[in-house]
Amino acid sequence: MSTALGSRTARRATPASQRSATVRSFRPDIEALRAIAVLVVVLYHAGVPYLPGGYVGVDVFFVISGFLITTHLIGELNRTGTVKLGRFYARRARRLLPAAALVAVVTVVVTWAGVSGLLAAEVGWDALWSALFAMNIYLAVSGVDYGANQDPSPLQHYWSLSVEEQFYLVWPLLMVLVALSARRVARRRAARTGREQSAPGVRGPIAAVIAAIMVASFLYSEHLLATLPTMAYFLAPSRAWELGLGALIAVATPWLAQQRWLHGSAWVSAGLVLIIGSAVVMTDATSFPGTAALFPTLGVALVIIGGTSRASVVERAVLDVRPMQAIGRVSYGWYLWHWPMLVLTPLVLDETLTLTENLMVIGAALLFAMWTYITYEDPVRRAESLRHSRRSFAVGGLAIGTVAATAAGAIALGPMAYRTGDFVAEVEPNAITEAVAAGAAMDIIPGNVDPGLDEASKDKPDLEAADGISCMVGLETETISEEDGGSCVAGGTEGGSETVVVVGDSHAYHWVPALREIAIQRDWELVSMTKSGCTLNDVELVNTQLERDYWECYAWREDVMQRIDELDPSLILTTAAVFSEKADDTFTDRWAQGVTTTTTALVETGAPVYVIEDTPYPRVDIPTCLAQHVQDVSECALPPVEAYSDPERRERTAEAASAAGAEIIDPSAWFCTEDLCPAISGNVIVYSDNSHMSATYSKTLATVLGDELPESL
């Protein structure tokens, strides 16, 4: 069991006033905090009940990292007056990069060997982002994208490492700058007064800077949480205050060591309650980080402060015990291994895992972490031959280079690593139902599949707006177009004799390729106004990505209705995604009432109104599924009873729209036979993800959709 500095005899010989200022060098309580952090994260990811807020373990890691790194840096500043940046970065490279690179490389290779080369190519891109310390930035941007309906990446958890690495890049430089500035100010003061002064302390100025950064970061986090919550979650500036909290404790440690009332079991116990309580009480619906993150982070602060000068009873009984210390030592490796194993195991086995099986997976991940620590991570960190900064940088460079080379190979070769069958007949525009039937009977992916498997996930609709301004707007946009003044006219249809409007969410947008073909043929000017996750129907929504009331959607609806009045269109088309049943028992009734209200308003414009019933919901990412089942594509198909999610809401939508005066288009025969909804129709991949039509298939449906619309307006 670890102890504070000095022997028991030395402590007895030291006056109490001096003992209160003792600061421990090794902190078993912090090692245990690492164990708690990784435990709540891996158990949460495994789906263990009663830990719906296990994601707070990452916040525990942030505070610990801020404390430990700043403790080291402030010590070096006090001893030498500066920080040897090269040596610092070399130590970080030797400590973090080898294990992270090993897991990333193994993940790409296992994805290729056990799942598919196509998915390995996608994971390869994630590995590159991780190698560039920018996974958090990538997720912040892609998390609010149109194509965000995708399965999680096995390297998604590297986002938190990226946040810490960005902190490590900036923080030492800032501390050195503050220390130099403080000393320069002290010298000028001495020169002005003519009095010689002792070397100024740097803790005060550094603490002031940390406090300012924390306040700014916290306020920024709160601002982003209200407007761009995905970015608030992933970006370093909105997380900096958590790292700063640990840093502030490190800078204030000498003072905290003298505050005996802050030490002991009461504060440590309160901190542990805050951490564990946050993991138990918070859920995925909690607005996070922001104010909610104060609870686990302040809990960490209380544990660290409570053990500043001596081990408490709680520490000796609960924290400084072998299992906790052992898990703490391998916590980094366990964090690295657990997520790719949880993501890839069901893909390799091609089955959904039970809770028991998930627990077995994270248990295996713990064994991998122990093996990594004993044979690789710890030896590399302690190797005398690597103590030199240049050699440490070489190790880091080799790690990054290995990840980059593996990722590049997967990206370049992965899409070619599958065999397809013979060519099949291409889809005839007037024979869609025959193509669907052929797809339902298909075993192997045809050699002339369109788009290719490597392109299917990118086969999204594009308005190709005549003025170049996108009118498929993201979650946080309140207006019709991403930039002011967008006409929303589809390229190639400008100047048409009649104006036709398509409006709705992303499931309205995926009909744009078909509608553009029709518009060009019939001399229509096609105007498309669509918004991610926002039905035009007048119903209140809670957006699952924003985790709050979707007020941007309501503002967008008002603009759309005003634009429709200005356009005075000759035809209006709309549709809305119906993914799955809602937990709210009243939602279907409110939805149907919203359909009635909105359809009535559209009909009152005098234009014919057509409502397209929603397309099937395949529930799995189709390009990924097809890459896994090249020889048996039926594994990616669903019976209609499963593919047509929430049948009651679909039926009520059609009934309400029809009663309000709209014409109803039922596209079910273009997607399903009586028994099956295939992933491939003829030679065309139907979906680009787990929800949206591929642009190629949408374009293929132009003829049959056109047959349902009036020839002349």
Side-chain angles (χ1 to χ4, degrees):
M1 184 177 292
S2 302
T3 61
L5 285 176
S7 66
R8 296 178 185 270
T9 303
R11 286 203 302 271
R12 285 195 296 268
T14 304
S17 60
Q18 294 181 30
R19 285 205 305 269
S20 65
T22 299
V23 177
R24 295 194 292 170
S25 58
F26 176 67
R27 300 286 300 272
D29 52 343
I30 292 179
E31 198 77 276
L33 280 175
R34 284 181 170 138
I36 293 171
V38 76
L39 277 167
V40 296
V41 168
V42 300
L43 293 175
Y44 162 69
H45 283 157
V48 172
Y50 312 116
L51 281 175
Y55 51 81
V56 302
V58 171
D59 304 83
V60 175
F61 278 127
F62 285 159
V63 179
I64 293 172
S65 294
F67 174 78
L68 293 177
I69 290 302
T70 306
T71 296
H72 169 78
L73 292 172
I74 200 74
E76 187 173 353
L77 274 173
N78 284 332
R79 289 192 309 272
T80 68
T82 188
V83 172
K84 294 183 178 180
L85 295 174
R87 182 179 297 177
F88 171 83
Y89 292 129
R91 279 196 301 266
R92 291 296 90 202
R94 194 170 65 245
R95 168 70 178 88
L96 298 175
L97 296 183
L102 173 66
V103 175
V105 168
V106 170
T107 299
V108 174
V109 172
V110 170
T111 303
W112 183 307
V115 185
S116 73
L118 185 65
L119 184 59
E122 295 181 12
V123 175
W125 283 111
D126 295 335
L128 282 180
W129 282 106
S130 301
L132 294 171
F133 315 143
M135 190 61 173
N136 62 321
I137 298 172
Y138 169 69
L139 291 175
V141 174
S142 64
V144 292
D145 196 6
Y146 165 84
N149 295 286
Q150 309 230 346
D151 295 328
S153 163
L155 294 178
Q156 184 169 300
H157 63 318
Y158 274 56
W159 76 268
S160 63
L161 305 185
S162 295
V163 170
E164 292 197 12
E165 286 155 351
Q166 290 158 19
F167 171 75
Y168 298 150
L169 286 173
V170 174
W171 186 230
L173 294 170
L174 184 60
M175 286 189 67
V176 170
L177 180 62
V178 172
L180 290 175
S181 299
R183 286 166 181 150
R184 185 177 293 112
V185 169
R187 285 196 298 270
R188 288 177 179 175
R189 184 181 296 123
R192 188 170 58 252
T193 60
R195 295 180 180 177
E196 192 174 320
Q197 297 186 0
S198 59
V202 296
R203 291 183 183 270
I206 290 176
V209 170
I210 293 173
I213 291 173
M214 287 178 63
V215 171
S217 171
F218 183 80
L219 293 176
Y220 182 63
S221 177
E222 285 287 290
H223 167 71
L224 278 186
L225 199 59
T227 55
L228 299 167
T230 304
M231 292 191 174
Y233 193 87
F234 289 119
L235 291 183
S238 64
R239 294 285 192 162
W241 68 270
E242 301 180 45
L243 291 143
L245 177 59
L248 188 61
I249 296 170
V251 173
T253 291
W255 179 82
L256 292 170
Q258 298 176 26
Q259 312 306 309
R260 300 184 64 183
W261 63 278
L262 286 174
H263 307 161
S265 294
W267 295 108
V268 174
S269 299
L272 293 175
V273 168
L274 282 174
I275 297 169
I276 304 301
S278 297
V280 172
V281 173
M282 294 182 185
T283 69
D284 289 339
T286 302
S287 186
F288 201 88
T291 303
L294 285 170
F295 294 96
T297 54
L298 289 177
V300 181
L302 289 177
V303 174
I304 294 175
I305 293 170
T308 298
S309 63
R310 66 180 185 272
S312 66
V313 173
V314 171
E315 178 182 323
R316 290 193 293 269
V318 179
L319 303 179
D320 193 5
V321 293
R322 286 185 178 181
M324 296 295 284
Q325 295 299 299
I327 292 174
R329 279 192 293 275
V330 300
S331 59
Y332 179 55
W334 199 11
Y335 180 81
L336 288 174
W337 282 112
H338 88 282
W339 183 246
M341 292 180 69
L342 282 172
V343 171
L344 292 178
T345 300
L347 293 178
V348 172
L349 299 178
D350 199 18
E351 62 180 48
T352 302
L353 300 186
T354 64
L355 173 58
T356 300
E357 290 167 335
N358 275 339
L359 291 175
M360 292 172 64
V361 170
I362 63 172
L366 177 57
L367 295 178
F368 272 89
M370 294 167 64
W371 169 79
T372 304
Y373 180 83
I374 294 170
T375 66
Y376 182 62
E377 182 184 345
D378 197 49
V380 169
R381 185 173 70 247
R382 295 180 181 276
E384 288 296 330
S385 60
L386 298 178
R387 294 285 179 175
H388 195 282
S389 295
R390 290 183 181 178
R391 292 178 180 175
S392 293
F393 282 126
V395 169
L398 179 62
I400 293 173
T402 302
V403 173
T406 305
I411 292 167
L413 302 177
M416 298 183 284
Y418 60 88
R419 294 181 179 180
T420 57
D422 297 331
F423 279 34
V424 299
E426 295 185 359
V427 180
E428 293 292 335
N430 292 308
I432 297 299
T433 56
E434 291 83 353
V436 173
M442 187 177 294
D443 292 323
I444 187 171
I445 293 179
N448 59 333
V449 67
D450 187 21
L453 279 182
D454 56 329
E455 296 295 331
S457 64
K458 296 173 265 186
D459 193 29
K460 308 292 186 183
D462 187 350
L463 184 65
E464 298 178 12
D467 58 7
I469 299 176
S470 173
C471 289
M472 171 59 206
V473 297
L475 297 178
E476 300 81 21
T477 304
E478 304 171 44
T479 54
I480 293 173
S481 56
E482 291 289 0
E483 301 174 34
D484 292 339
S487 68
C488 304
V489 176
T493 73
E494 56 270 36
S497 59
E498 301 288 347
T499 299
V500 174
V501 169
V502 58
V503 61
D505 57 19
S506 60
H507 276 217
Y509 188 55
H510 71 191
W511 285 104
V512 164
L515 290 168
R516 182 195 283 110
E517 291 294 305
I518 300 169
I520 292 173
Q521 293 168 9
R522 300 184 182 182
D523 192 29
W524 294 347
E525 182 175 76
L526 178 64
V527 177
S528 172
M529 295 177 285
T530 53
K531 177 173 173 61
S532 181
C534 179
T535 173
L536 187 65
N537 299 321
D538 185 19
V539 60
E540 292 184 356
L541 302 170
V542 174
N543 185 274
T544 55
Q545 284 182 264
L546 299 178
E547 299 177 351
R548 58 169 171 77
D549 186 59
Y550 198 5
W551 55 265
E552 293 94 339
C553 179
Y554 315 148
W556 174 84
R557 289 172 184 166
E558 292 180 5
D559 278 3
V560 165
M561 297 304 291
Q562 182 177 342
R563 177 69 68 89
I564 289 174
D565 285 340
E566 294 170 357
L567 290 171
D568 189 23
S570 301
L571 177 67
I572 301 172
L573 298 102
T574 186
T575 188
V578 181
F579 286 148
S580 58
E581 292 78 3
K582 299 290 185 179
D584 182 357
D585 293 337
T586 69
F587 185 77
T588 297
D589 291 336
R590 292 188 288 111
W591 174 276
Q593 181 57 51
V595 173
T596 298
T597 302
T598 298
T599 306
T600 299
L602 293 176
V603 169
E604 288 175 352
T605 65
V609 177
Y610 282 71
V611 172
I612 306 174
E613 294 189 58
D614 193 27
T615 52
Y617 179 30
R619 300 178 185 268
V620 297
D621 185 80
I622 291 300
T624 299
C625 183
L626 289 173
Q628 289 178 258
H629 301 284
V630 174
Q631 305 295 319
D632 188 8
V633 298
S634 63
E635 291 290 330
C636 304
L638 285 176
V641 68
E642 294 181 36
Y644 281 99
S645 53
D646 201 346
E648 181 185 0
R649 186 148 58 99
R650 289 173 181 266
E651 183 179 353
R652 294 279 299 277
T653 300
E655 290 174 352
S658 178
E663 296 291 333
I664 308 300
I665 298 175
D666 178 7
S668 58
W670 310 338
F671 294 89
C672 305
T673 65
E674 290 185 1
D675 302 318
L676 206 63
C677 300
I680 297 177
S681 177
N683 70 315
V684 178
I685 295 177
V686 178
Y687 306 97
S688 63
D689 51 35
N690 68 359
S691 169
H692 301 95
M693 250 195 299
S694 68
T696 301
Y697 195 62
S698 177
K699 189 175 179 179
T700 301
L701 298 180
T703 297
V704 290
L705 177 60
D707 291 343
E708 299 292 324
L709 300 174
E711 188 73 36
S712 59
L713 301 174

